[in-house]
Every structure is written in C-alpha cells, then in structure tokens.
Amino acid sequence: MFVAVMGYGTVGSGVAEVLKMNAGSIKKKCGFELELKRILDIRKFPGDPFEDIITDKFDDILTDPEIEVVAETMGGLHPAYEFVSALLKSGKSVVTSNKELVAVKGRELLECAKANGANFLFEASTGGGIPVLRPVSQCLVGNEITHVAGILNGTTNYILTEMIKNDTAFEDALASAQKLGYAEKDPTADVDGIDALRKICILADLCFGKNVDPGNVEAIGIRNVNLADVEAAKKLGGAIKLIGSADRLGDGRIAVIVCPSFVKNGSQLAACDDVFNCVLVRGNAVGEVCFYGPGAGKLPTASAVVADMADCAKHNGCDRSPEWDEGSEGYVVSGDDFVSEWLVRASGSESGIAGAIPGAKIISAAAESSEVCFTTPELSYGSLNALLGSAGAQALSVIRITDY
Ligand code: HSE
C-alpha cells in the first residue's frame, strides 16, 4: 500500500526512516509493504535519501488515488487542519502526531473521517512513543475511568531533571532539549504547560467520553519553579514534576489542570525522569495502571505514527477511530474552583501567612528575601490566591500536592 508523509521535520523524517529501517518486519506483520510515495514539505532537502519523493504541492498527495494513508507531522493548526480535512473528505485515512490539531479539532475530524469511510488516528499526539491512547480507549473499555494524570511533556521533564540532578541552568537545559529534537518549534508551549494541556485534554476526551476544550483548562508551567521549591519538595519527601490531571467528580463534571506538582518518593511518577513520560489511569475494575516510555524524540514518536499507519492500512474500510461526545457548558470545573492541597513559595511574612491561611504549615522562611515556603490544607486555587492577598503575600510559585 502507498502512503505519504506531510512535514519532513523531526517526526516526519523519523517516520520515513522507520518505514525504511523496518520495511521487512512491517510487511510481515501487515501482510503487505507500506511504501512511502510522497513527502510534503515546502523546504528543499538536497542530497537527502528521500529527495526524489519530496514535493511542495499538497495536491500531489490529495489527488493521487494510489496513496491511501497519510501521516501529518507538520504540527500547528494551519494548514494542517485544512489538509487533514481535505484528505479525510477524499476518503484517505490520516494519522497525526499533532497535539494541537487533535485537542482543538479532534472531534470534528473524527466525525469527518467516519462520514467518509476513513480513519483518523493520533497515538503519537500524546506520550510520544508510549502506547497509551489505544490501550485507554480499547483495553480499558471495561472500566469507568475515574482519574487520569501524567507527566506529559518530555521537554519540561528533561529540563527539571537536568536542573535538579545536574545543576544545569534552565536556559542550557532548554537549549539541549531543543538540540535533541524534544521541544516544540516555539518552546514556550512546552515551558508554559500548553503542550501538556493539549495532551491531558486528549486523554480526558477519551477517558471520559466528552470533549474538553483546552481553552477551559488552567495551565501553569515550570517557569517559576526554582531550587527553593525543589528543596521544599525534598523536605516533604518527594519531587516536583509538571503534571496534567483530570478527575471525574461525583456530579459528572471533570476537574482538569496542568501545574507543577509534588509527587511522593517511591511513586512511579516520581521515578520518571529525563524525556520520559508516565501516564497513570485509575479505573473502577482494573485499579491503577501506568504507561511509561519516551515521551518525545524522532524515532520514538515515529514508532507511534507508523503503528497508526499500519493499523489504518491493515483495516482499510473498517472503523478503527475512537469517538467522544460534544462538550457542554460547565462540564469542566474552572481553574479557580480546582481544589487541592498546595505547596506555596510566597513573598510575605511568616506571621501574616500563618494568620491568614488556616492550617498553613511553614516549611522554611528566608529572612533576607522574605520568602516563605508553606503547605496548605485542601482549598480551591481561587481561595488560595484570595487568602494570599489578605496575608499581603505574593505567590512566587504554586505547586499542587498530589496523592501519587
Ligand atoms: N515537545 C513535546 C514534548 C514533543 O517535549 O513532550 C512531544 O509531544
């Protein structure tokens, strides 16, 4: 079967490499070869082994009746959305690694695929090379899922690990993540938690069966986390990780957030370092399961893309795509109403904080900088900010305390 790739960057070139490197075993498993006929990219690649099949014309893929499965690895919403829609409408199946496209337009594209007898699969959009979306939507179908959470961004996990274990400066760690091909084109999406936000929304869509608009979810990145927070976490017996989580509440709503989070030593999430991701799912039949592996990078992500291409190719004409309902007003609890225990570093006085925040436990107070580290009992993010205001204190970092 003939296939094509759109976008010859880190992931797209990885897909071409994997298709070539593992052509024999893929053929054996699929029953036929996945032959790469076209690669779309506006750039020129003189001397590249795939130079002859690179085109800058989308129509070379769209109008080629021999190409049945297309991998979109361009990233960004536009023109990826327009290209994917056109391909699905023409009956071609599309697989993608594009988190933004799936988080924002996934539901619509799935409907479009179903209406046109095609498939739209996106395993590589979440967790890089970790098989997690298919297991969640197929292997855990016998469960009511109550909770999903994870380290979902390889770049920030790599940066935090480098800062904590090797004393690397933030900028140097980020530069090295970019060099290794982990970071987004605009790494603020990694650092500010936007990439993890898109991924937790995709997981929540699949786990809870209803669309979560990323625009309704609070995302706090790792910019404000410093060594004082790391030390405070160590004193509490754990580590800080950027975690996206989604909980189903008793009233049917879901509470979703991305923020730096305290995890206890000994937990699977605390042991997940470097570019690795770890996704924890709680179901009412299975209990707790964890999915762990490389969350970014050329070949790991390509591994997931190629698996989706093979699935589409092997099951051409069968519906393999997941689905979920439309979202609704009030379905996602607002960031201000998100309830947790918190680990806070704030500028202010120890007595002011202890007086204004009932149950606050001071961990450390640095007289010279008037910085106070403390924990709070369960309270909403909005109440925490209001109480800090009444203590005359300003939050410097806010870290969620988790039970994992
Ligand atoms: N920038 C992303 C990350 C790439 O670091 O996780 C994989 O989605």
Side-chain angles (χ1 to χ4, degrees):
M1 178 180 287
F2 287 103
V3 300
V5 170
M6 301 194 298
Y8 197 50
T10 304
V11 181
S13 60
V15 172
E17 192 176 326
V18 169
L19 286 172
K20 193 171 171 190
M21 175 171 82
N22 295 334
S25 66
I26 294 169
K27 183 174 177 186
K28 213 165 162 189
K29 289 168 198 161
C30 283
F32 47 83
E33 208 172 316
L34 294 183
E35 207 174 320
L36 185 55
K37 189 170 181 190
R38 283 287 187 192
I39 296 172
L40 177 70
D41 204 295
I42 49 172
R43 296 166 294 179
K44 301 268 175 272
F45 295 87
D48 187 276
F50 294 95
E51 188 182 2
D52 290 352
I53 59 165
I54 296 176
T55 175
D56 58 6
K57 292 178 196 64
F58 172 58
D59 273 0
D60 285 346
I61 293 175
L62 180 68
T63 60
D64 185 334
E66 281 189 334
I67 295 175
E68 294 182 75
V69 180
V70 181
E72 185 276 302
T73 55
M74 305 186 312
L77 261 192
H78 304 289
Y81 167 67
E82 289 75 15
F83 287 0
V84 171
S85 302
L87 290 164
L88 293 172
K89 281 179 191 154
S90 79
K92 296 185 196 301
S93 286
V94 179
V95 311
T96 184
S97 56
N98 186 336
K99 305 71 61 116
E100 187 174 5
L101 182 69
V102 181
V104 178
K105 298 282 187 190
R107 195 174 168 276
E108 178 190 326
L109 292 171
L110 283 166
E111 279 188 350
C112 181
K114 282 179 203 293
N116 291 283
N119 277 301
F120 179 57
L121 300 178
F122 38 87
E123 184 63 62
S125 67
T126 303
I130 311 173
V132 60
L133 300 186
R134 193 176 275 96
V136 160
S137 39
Q138 293 180 10
C139 311
L140 295 179
V141 77
N143 288 263
E144 285 283 348
I145 292 174
T146 52
H147 182 72
V148 56
I151 296 168
L152 299 169
N153 182 266
T155 300
T156 45
N157 206 37
Y158 176 85
I159 292 173
L160 286 173
T161 307
E162 283 291 306
M163 284 170 70
I164 294 166
K165 299 216 161 140
N166 301 327
D167 264 347
T168 312
F170 177 89
E171 285 74 21
D172 294 342
L174 173 58
S176 139
Q178 286 176 297
K179 210 163 149 194
L180 290 163
Y182 302 157
E184 297 302 298
K185 263 187 227 151
D186 175 1
T188 55
D190 297 296
V191 173
D192 292 331
I194 310 299
D195 180 74
L197 162 72
R198 292 173 181 144
K199 292 167 178 168
I200 193 63
C201 289
I202 296 169
L203 281 165
D205 293 338
L206 289 169
C207 287
F208 305 121
K210 199 161 157 173
N211 202 64
V212 177
D213 178 350
N216 291 336
V217 177
E218 181 83 31
I220 307 167
I222 62 162
R223 249 176 235 283
N224 297 332
V225 176
N226 71 12
L227 290 180
D229 301 312
V230 172
E231 279 312 308
K234 271 191 193 156
K235 275 192 188 166
L236 291 175
I240 297 171
K241 299 286 181 187
L242 182 68
I243 290 187
S245 73
D247 272 289
R248 202 181 55 186
L249 307 181
D251 59 10
R253 294 183 303 157
I254 57 165
V256 193
I257 197 164
V258 173
C259 69
S261 304
F262 169 85
V263 289
K264 284 178 277 192
N265 285 336
S267 79
Q268 278 148 310
L269 289 170
C272 175
D273 285 333
D274 299 312
V275 72
F276 289 89
N277 283 190
C278 183
V279 183
L280 176 153
V281 184
R282 290 182 184 149
N284 66 352
V286 74
E288 191 170 288
V289 286
C290 254
F291 302 90
Y292 172 85
K298 180 174 168 171
L299 295 187
T301 311
S303 156
V305 174
V306 170
D308 276 351
M309 292 174 98
D311 195 357
C312 289
K314 215 173 157 184
H315 302 100
N316 206 6
C318 307
D319 184 1
R320 301 288 290 170
S321 310
E323 55 192 316
W324 58 83
D325 295 340
E326 228 173 299
S328 60
E329 187 77 28
Y331 171 57
V332 178
V333 172
S334 83
D336 270 353
D337 289 338
F338 189 92
V339 175
S340 177
E341 293 177 25
W342 306 95
L343 166 61
V344 184
R345 182 168 48 85
S347 68
S349 74
E350 199 178 331
S351 58
I353 286 166
I357 306 180
K361 287 195 185 119
I362 307 292
I363 298 175
S364 64
E368 45 321 329
S369 60
S370 37
E371 265 188 36
V372 185
C373 270
F374 60 95
T375 58
T376 76
E378 276 203 339
L379 47 95
S380 72
Y381 183 58
S383 310
L384 171 67
N385 285 320
L387 291 170
L388 282 166
S390 61
Q394 201 188 343
L396 301 172
S397 68
V398 174
I399 292 156
R400 187 184 157 215
I401 299 179
T402 69
D403 66 347
Y404 31 77

